[in-house]
Amino acid sequence: MNTTANSAAGDEQSARPPGKAIMPLLSLRRHWLKSLIVFVVIAGVGLPVAWKKGTASYYGEAVIQVNFRYAPNLSTVQEIETHSDTQYKRLVQQQMRTITRFDVVKEALDSVGDAKFLWKRPAESERQAVQRLQGSLRVNAVRDTYLVTIGLENQDPTIIPLLVNAVVESYLRAAREDTFFGEEIRLENLQERRAEIEQSIAELSEGLEEAAAKLGLTTFEQGVQNPYDRTLADMTDALLKSRQARVTAEAKLEAMRSKHERLLALPLDAEAQKLTSTDRALLDLRAYLYQRRAKLVQTMSGLKASHSGRQAAEREIAQINQEIEEATAVKREEMKAILEERRVAEMRSESAELEADLLEAEKVEQALAERVDARRLETKDFMRVYADGVGIREELERQRRQLSQIRDRIDNILNEKDAPGYVRLVSLATVPEFPSSGGRKKLFIIFLVLASGAALVLPLALDFLDSRIQTPVDLHRVLGFAPTSWLPEVTTEADQALFEQQLERLAVALLRDLDVHGVGRSVLVTESLPGAGKTLVTHRLADELVRLGMSTLVVSCDPSNESADAEAEARRFDFGSGDNARPRQRLEPHLEQRLGPQREPYLETVPSASERGLVDVIAHRATLDEVIRRGAPGEADRIPFGAYADAGYVAKVLRLKEVLRELEGRYSLVLVDGPALIVSATTEAIVGICYATLVVVGAMNTPVKPLKRALAMVECADPEVVGAVLNRAPVFKGGGYYSRLAESLSSYRTTHDADEAQDDREEAHAKRASSHG
């Protein structure tokens, strides 16, 4: 049940209504014949198509390898090397494009001679034949390998290896030309560079001899040094290290100061917030307050905005929120103070250590600088000349090595003009023996798969596009709130057991709502369109309320109910007979005859004078005591409609309101069995005078648009409480939770009835034995 007073708040707080329910098995069960027809039609069309279009095709391919790196000469100097996976992929893509290049394919087609006419069509030019071969070639890189496949698919298997191998050979020639492109130019440049280096070596040799004669040395080896040079080198090295240590210490100190300034400027809110969020005492306090707030929110649910209890709960929730914020703020400030003190102490310790290291480095550097200056004056002249000689010797050796490399490179180019490069042939194409695709069997299997898919999708599409209410989820989506309950379609004894359980849930929900809002006692039970089964729901619900201990009266305001006896019979189930008709629920048992061809004669029928009802009370022709029909034990009392010729008396809403108020004084709950909302305008007026309205929606026969119009009428009348019940909801047989629940309930009831019968027989036997004794 949903209260209209809380509808605005409910729209903001409730979850979004679910989407349309999709039940594949149930949809397939409903539309199995349509699915079978679609499957047969598609499969029947696919058989001749597969027989006519299913021509076998053959496929053959050659394989080449694109190396990640290659050695083009004897010295294994890597002329081309791919340093990353991206570069290698680009290299492979370039080779794949080269294979299908126009000039490569044209050369291949020309190389086969007269055999090219096996490929070239009669009315086709040579260029068109080449372009068609370009498009037909399948060049693919094999994943996680260095291999590339070159394939061709054709209906003639003999032409495949002829064309594929010709393309491979043409490509390999083009790849070798690309690998050694500009070979003569490179060779000429290398020879010119060799002459330049030979002249430079001669000049450097003369300079080295002059330096050796000046110093009186025979060699300029790096290890031969005088004592001054060795000592100066050691001291200079030590001085450089000390300067480096001093600069490093200064940099560390400066960096540390900058770091401290930035740290002092950084806020501690985030870290304080993190420590606050893990504080155990604060977490316990917040958990307690959150629990208290949740209880208040639960207490508020269902209360009007003007209710004093709701206002008090809202004030207490605001106070709880303020206490949480204040406790969190105090704890955060404590954590910030602790973090600030810790950070300042750490900064002072780090600064003191770095200042001591800097002072030590400055003293060491000053002492070493004084000693190096004194030693440098003694070795300055000797080292200058010696360093020149060493430099000349190193340059001379470097140019000799370069000259040797150039000579080797020239020899390799001259000796290996025909090197294979980075591409090599792995295998050539051969004549394929078996077809690869396009057979009749495979094409027919494709049609079977399509037929199966269409046969499965069609029922889902039909149910998805069906605008009728089918499941409680559909009703939830239209209402905007969950329906009060749902009642299954009764076709078996197991369904009846589930129906009774769901009816009990509905009665308990109604009692719970009245206990919360206990100011009204009249509930209108209506439907959007006739035939939803509201009369059965009304009487069975009234009987269930009586069983739960609430005095209940059923008042019939629906002229379509023929007589009081018929209304009483509407509470029972009829499982079919005779012609093995499908078991059904007896809802409005005479409605179909009156709304069908027999409508006019029915309107002229006048019941006997002895049968009085509600219209007689409204017309002041009878009292309530005279029209109330007392129910059997376990059944609710009822008031029939009365003389149908006086149906217009129901439109006297003020008099009807007086009658209902008088009945509310006698009974705890009055269920008003009203006409359908769309059919009768009187129903909208009855909604306004009843405390609650329960709309019964028939599954599988209630479109969405009429239901929305009916709900709009109810909303205009603005009752205190509005609820909805989905009746005749299908229960999937052979699986599912509710199917198993219905079976278990039926089994339990059968066992319970058998036990009671056995107890009665034993008790009767005991009585007979005692009487004989």
Side-chain angles (χ1 to χ4, degrees), residues 59-191:
Y59 177 77
E61 65 181 14
V63 182
I64 63 172
Q65 177 177 340
V66 181
N67 297 317
F68 187 79
R69 61 177 64 181
Y70 73 97
N73 48 50
L74 295 176
S75 60
T76 66
V77 177
Q78 296 178 356
E79 190 73 22
I80 297 179
E81 180 181 358
T82 52
H83 298 281
S84 66
D85 184 63
T86 302
Q87 292 181 358
Y88 178 73
K89 288 182 178 179
R90 290 178 180 175
L91 176 62
V92 172
Q93 289 296 324
Q94 178 186 356
Q95 303 311 308
M96 293 171 63
R97 296 295 183 184
T98 303
I99 293 171
T100 58
R101 207 166 62 190
F102 183 84
D103 60 322
V104 174
V105 177
K106 184 178 183 302
E107 181 183 352
L109 196 59
D110 294 338
S111 64
V112 299
D114 294 338
K116 69 179 180 180
F117 294 104
L118 297 174
W119 173 261
K120 185 175 178 296
R121 296 170 181 172
E124 190 176 41
S125 64
E126 184 176 1
R127 182 179 183 84
Q128 291 174 344
V130 173
Q131 291 177 346
R132 186 162 58 86
L133 181 57
Q134 283 182 282
S136 300
L137 289 173
R138 296 183 184 178
V139 183
N140 298 310
V142 182
R143 187 179 180 87
D144 298 330
T145 67
Y146 299 124
L147 303 179
V148 175
T149 61
I150 306 171
L152 180 65
E153 185 175 5
N154 196 272
Q155 297 178 5
D156 184 4
T158 60
I159 197 176
I160 294 175
L162 184 65
L163 295 177
V164 171
N165 295 337
V167 171
V168 170
E169 293 175 359
S170 177
Y171 158 71
L172 292 177
R173 287 192 295 270
R176 281 195 292 270
E177 292 176 0
D178 293 341
T179 303
F180 296 98
F181 178 77
E183 183 180 87
E184 297 296 333
I185 297 176
R186 288 189 293 165
L187 186 60
E188 183 180 354
N189 292 336
L190 289 173
Q191 291 174 350

Side-chain angles (χ1 to χ4, degrees), residues 41 51 57 60 123 168 170 183 269 302 340 381 385 387 420 508 546 579 636 645 665 677:
V41 169
W51 184 263
S57 296
V168 170
S170 177
E183 183 180 87
D269 295 339
E340 185 68 28
D381 294 337
V385 177
V508 172
V546 170
D579 57 351
L677 285 163

Side-chain angles (χ1 to χ4, degrees), residues 505-539:
R505 293 178 183 271
L506 175 60
V508 172
L510 185 62
L511 290 178
R512 182 173 61 247
D513 188 75
L514 292 178
D515 288 341
V516 175
H517 307 282
V519 294
R521 292 293 184 269
S522 59
V523 178
L524 171 64
V525 182
T526 182
E527 55 195 354
S528 59
L529 292 174
K534 50 90 181 174
T535 299
L536 179 137
V537 173
T538 303
H539 286 273

Side-chain angles (χ1 to χ4, degrees), residues 141-410:
V142 182
R143 187 179 180 87
D144 298 330
T145 67
Y146 299 124
L147 303 179
V148 175
T149 61
I150 306 171
L152 180 65
E153 185 175 5
N154 196 272
Q155 297 178 5
D156 184 4
T158 60
I159 197 176
I160 294 175
L162 184 65
L163 295 177
V164 171
N165 295 337
V167 171
V168 170
E169 293 175 359
S170 177
Y171 158 71
L172 292 177
R173 287 192 295 270
R176 281 195 292 270
E177 292 176 0
D178 293 341
T179 303
F180 296 98
F181 178 77
E183 183 180 87
E184 297 296 333
I185 297 176
R186 288 189 293 165
L187 186 60
E188 183 180 354
N189 292 336
L190 289 173
Q191 291 174 350
E192 291 178 358
R193 180 59 178 165
R194 181 182 63 180
E196 293 175 0
I197 292 177
E198 289 175 350
Q199 183 179 358
S200 177
I201 288 175
E203 294 174 357
L204 290 175
S205 298
E206 293 178 1
L208 184 61
E209 291 176 359
E210 292 178 359
K214 183 177 181 180
L215 296 177
L217 298 176
T218 58
T219 181
F220 287 91
E221 296 292 338
Q222 192 71 25
V224 179
Q225 296 179 344
N226 59 2
Y228 297 98
D229 184 36
R230 188 180 303 110
T231 303
L232 180 61
D234 295 340
M235 295 175 62
T236 303
D237 184 66
L239 177 61
L240 292 175
K241 291 181 179 179
S242 64
R243 287 178 179 175
Q244 184 179 3
R246 188 256 304 167
V247 173
T248 303
E250 289 177 351
K252 288 183 178 180
L253 181 59
E254 185 64 23
M256 182 59 65
R257 291 173 179 173
S258 299
K259 176 184 175 182
H260 290 173
E261 292 176 358
R262 291 193 299 271
L263 289 177
L264 291 175
L266 291 177
L268 298 173
D269 295 339
E271 190 172 357
Q273 181 65 30
K274 182 178 180 181
L275 294 176
T276 303
S277 63
T278 58
D279 185 75
R280 185 63 184 177
L282 181 60
L283 290 176
D284 293 340
L285 176 60
R286 292 173 68 177
Y288 169 75
L289 294 177
Y290 286 153
Q291 184 177 7
R292 176 57 183 164
R293 186 173 63 183
K295 292 181 179 180
L296 292 174
V297 171
Q298 184 178 5
T299 304
M300 289 169 53
S301 62
L303 297 179
K304 295 183 178 179
S306 59
H307 198 280
S308 59
R310 181 185 181 93
Q311 296 176 354
E314 290 177 349
R315 289 193 299 270
E316 187 170 353
I317 289 175
Q319 183 178 1
I320 290 174
N321 293 335
Q322 183 177 1
E323 291 180 3
I324 293 175
E325 293 177 357
E326 292 177 356
T328 304
V330 171
K331 181 58 67 176
R332 188 186 302 111
E333 293 299 327
E334 293 179 0
M335 294 300 176
K336 286 176 63 176
I338 295 173
L339 293 173
E340 185 68 28
E341 293 178 359
R342 184 188 304 171
R343 185 168 63 182
V344 172
E346 292 176 354
M347 290 180 182
R348 290 176 180 174
S349 175
E350 292 177 354
S351 299
E353 293 179 0
L354 293 179
E355 289 175 356
D357 294 339
L358 177 60
L359 180 60
E360 179 182 357
E362 289 176 349
K363 291 182 178 180
V364 171
E365 180 187 2
Q366 183 179 2
L368 289 175
E370 294 175 355
R371 296 181 62 183
V372 168
D373 291 340
R375 181 66 65 178
R376 186 174 291 138
L377 296 175
E378 300 177 0
T379 59
K380 183 177 181 180
D381 294 337
F382 183 88
M383 289 301 300
R384 179 177 56 80
V385 177
Y386 187 81
D388 293 340
V390 172
I392 293 172
R393 181 180 177 279
E394 291 178 352
E395 179 64 20
L396 184 60
E397 292 180 352
R398 188 187 68 82
Q399 292 196 10
R400 286 174 179 172
R401 290 193 300 269
Q402 186 176 5
L403 179 61
S404 177
Q405 293 176 358
I406 291 175
R407 289 173 178 173
D408 293 340
R409 181 59 179 158
I410 292 173

